[in-house]
Amino acid sequence: MAAYATQMDAAKQGILTPEMETVAKEEHLEPELIRQRVAKGTICIPANIHHKSLHPYGIGEGLRTKMNVNLGISGDCHDYTAEFEKVKLAIQFQCEAIMDLSNYGKTHTFRKQLIEMSPAMIGTVPMYDAIGYLEKDLADIKATDFLKVLEAHAKEGVDFQTIHAGINRRAVEALKRQKRTTNIVSRGGSLLFAWMEMTGNENPFYEYYDDVLDILRKYDVTISLGDALRPGCNADSTDAGQISELVELGALTKRAWERDVQVMVEGPGHMTMDEIAANMKLQKRLCYGAPFYVLGPLVTDVAPGYDHITAAIGGAIAAMSGADFLCYVTPAEHLRLPDLQDVRDGIVASKIAAHAADLARGIPGARDWDNAMSKARCAIDWEGMFAQAIDPEKARDYFESRPPQDRHTCSMCGKMCAMRTSNKILNGESVSLTPDEA
């Protein structure tokens, strides 16, 4: 039996776990530095003791920006085969995390198969599964019932769980005074708000927070403190409701660390570009440097069908300014359940945002990837370029859809290719644009 309960517990004892060693190697950092930051809470390594297929990843201070893919079945779309195709795509693109947001029927079988096959971290929102799991209407669920769902997910091997513990009665009062444009847009947050208002009770995840932590510690599940009051439009960003909840999340972060439970903090939804950097600093300050899991932020509200772009813009700024973990957004956001192409587009947009931020932050190894692409481009080495592309399949398809006569160019510039011209002159060759020139 392990001499430690969680990654944080091990780190505080001075123990380097295999997971810490893996993270250090892949991040080009010293293992001792990883251990120190895990002990401090500024890095988390979500790794449930029952997730045997997991490839461990670190999230937090000084590490590459990680990304998450949301998927799962719903009442209108419960095609398990289609969702597993999305899982395979996420694994193909080496996404670090997958969240199962299923909210229809008995989700245990889907989640069990997902955990068995996925090297990515698996996350859930137990609140989504409560109705189906407990077979009760929302108003009939007891406070302690919610904890049963949380423990069921933990036993199955889920690496992190989004728990909306910060939307307590104080935060709700701040929300009501604010009179928001879009009220509560968090699905889990809205359900908890409804339950609290219908029953007159405090948020069960807040009231029984110590019990929540005991369960998570038992299986080494990282708590992702959900932002139930995140802004759902630019008009609501950085308002009293959002900040009131964030203050509560900071206090809950410290309580989790005292129990050796690893923490991520979620936020902030929609906001204009000029507010993003300040929000990143505010979160880090109020939550003591805990890793920040960013939802968006969407920088404009008027682009349905293109919200993977609005989120990638916001995600890049957020990650450059201190966010550690991006949640992808697909073109289907606000419109429908994403299909396979939507998922692909969302993954690529988020990976671009994450890597662009890593370049700006000088993350070890980040520039090596771009340098490899640049060398292949200079050499007009198409296979080399495809190998370095975020989406090699699309890059190849575009090139081959209208191939040039001369494979040392592309069909846009032909023999006027700047790389070709420069290379020839620098090699002491002359340049001719006649058709018969090699």
Side-chain angles (χ1 to χ4, degrees):
M1 192 170 177
Y4 52 88
T6 68
Q7 294 292 321
M8 177 171 262
D9 179 31
K12 288 178 180 178
Q13 293 185 51
I15 298 171
L16 273 173
T17 67
E19 291 81 6
M20 293 176 204
E21 297 273 10
T22 298
V23 169
K25 181 178 180 181
E26 294 189 354
E27 299 283 351
H28 309 288
L29 295 171
E30 290 298 320
E32 176 60 17
L33 181 63
I34 301 298
R35 185 200 65 76
Q36 290 173 6
R37 291 178 180 174
V38 172
K40 186 179 176 183
T42 58
I43 286 177
C44 65
I45 305 175
N48 188 310
I49 59 174
H50 294 324
H51 188 175
K52 302 303 182 185
S53 63
L54 176 70
H55 179 98
Y57 292 101
I59 302 168
E61 183 183 0
L63 307 185
R64 285 186 304 107
T65 306
K66 308 306 188 298
M67 66 157 290
N68 169 69
V69 171
N70 288 339
L71 45 79
I73 57 169
S74 68
D76 287 319
C77 299
H78 44 275
D79 184 341
Y80 288 93
T81 301
E83 292 311 296
F84 271 114
E85 288 303 310
K86 298 174 188 177
V87 171
K88 292 175 185 175
L89 189 66
I91 293 172
Q92 174 190 324
F93 274 94
Q94 297 182 316
C95 299
E96 291 88 2
I98 298 172
M99 286 199 79
D100 172 21
L101 304 186
S102 298
N103 62 5
Y104 174 82
K106 294 296 184 183
T107 61
H108 166 75
T109 301
F110 176 75
R111 191 162 46 254
K112 183 173 182 290
Q113 292 176 326
L114 176 61
I115 292 165
E116 286 175 354
M117 72 180 289
S118 175
M121 301 175 282
I122 302 301
T124 60
V125 186
M127 190 67 199
Y128 293 176
D129 197 28
I131 305 298
Y133 181 89
L134 297 168
E135 296 183 329
K136 294 180 180 180
D137 200 6
L138 183 61
D140 296 328
I141 298 176
K142 304 298 182 187
T144 52
D145 286 340
F146 290 112
L147 302 188
K148 296 176 183 177
V149 185
L150 186 152
E151 181 151 24
H153 285 207
K155 281 182 178 178
E156 289 167 3
V158 167
D159 301 295
F160 64 98
Q161 294 188 28
T162 294
I163 308 295
H164 298 92
I167 181 173
N168 57 21
R169 302 214 69 85
R170 287 193 298 273
V172 167
E173 288 307 313
L175 170 75
K176 288 179 176 179
R177 289 193 301 270
Q178 190 70 28
K179 300 190 184 302
R180 279 181 160 186
T181 300
T182 53
N183 299 316
I184 298 176
V185 299
S186 161
R187 182 166 43 176
S190 67
L191 291 170
L192 273 170
F193 171 69
W195 184 87
M196 291 164 68
E197 292 293 297
M198 288 189 294
T199 64
N201 294 327
E202 179 58 276
N203 177 350
F205 296 117
Y206 179 79
E207 184 176 4
Y208 295 95
Y209 190 61
D210 287 341
D211 296 320
V212 168
L213 296 177
D214 287 343
I215 293 168
L216 299 181
R217 188 181 193 277
K218 183 177 179 181
Y219 303 95
D220 197 1
V221 177
T222 297
I223 187 168
S224 186
L225 287 167
D227 54 338
L229 300 182
R230 67 178 179 268
C233 65
N234 290 328
D236 294 336
S237 63
T238 324
D239 68 357
Q242 177 193 338
I243 302 306
S244 175
E245 182 183 34
L246 187 57
V247 170
E248 298 292 350
L249 296 183
L252 294 173
T253 294
K254 293 200 82 171
R255 286 175 62 185
W257 287 343
E258 289 168 1
R259 299 289 191 94
D260 301 326
V261 173
Q262 300 183 98
V263 177
M264 295 187 286
V265 179
E266 296 182 12
H270 295 230
M271 63 181 47
T272 53
M273 291 190 291
D274 60 307
E275 293 187 56
I276 294 173
N279 266 265
M280 300 305 106
K281 291 180 181 178
L282 187 63
Q283 185 276 341
K284 290 285 186 174
R285 177 67 63 85
L286 293 179
C287 297
Y288 308 100
F292 197 14
Y293 179 15
V294 168
L295 311 177
L298 276 66
V299 297
T300 178
D301 300 324
V302 297
Y306 299 92
D307 276 329
H308 60 311
I309 298 174
T310 65
I313 294 169
I317 297 170
M320 184 179 67
S321 304
D324 306 291
F325 191 25
L326 302 182
C327 186
Y328 91 150
V329 172
T330 78
E333 185 78 5
H334 302 114
L335 300 171
R336 63 169 168 81
L337 191 77
D339 63 19
L340 193 62
Q341 186 60 50
D342 295 328
V343 169
R344 189 184 196 101
D345 291 344
I347 287 172
V348 172
S350 189
K351 287 183 79 71
I352 292 169
H355 182 61
D358 290 347
L359 283 170
R361 293 191 297 135
I363 294 298
R367 192 170 291 276
D368 294 345
W369 186 7
D370 288 67
N371 289 345
M373 173 63 86
S374 298
K375 288 176 182 177
R377 280 183 173 153
C378 187
I380 317 178
D381 173 8
W382 293 107
E383 291 302 320
M385 286 184 258
F386 300 149
Q388 296 302 327
I390 282 179
D391 187 349
E393 184 179 328
K394 185 169 185 175
R396 184 184 295 278
D397 287 348
Y398 265 58
F399 177 76
E400 298 293 355
S401 67
R402 187 166 290 180
Q405 291 183 339
D406 180 354
R407 299 287 288 192
H408 297 292
T409 67
C410 77
S411 58
M412 180 175 180
C413 298
K415 291 185 178 180
M416 290 187 181
C417 170
M419 293 290 193
R420 178 181 181 273
T421 299
S422 300
N423 290 345
K424 281 183 171 290
I425 294 299
L426 291 171
N427 288 333
E429 304 173 34
S430 61
V431 173
S432 172
L433 303 180
T434 57
D436 58 345
E437 190 209 14

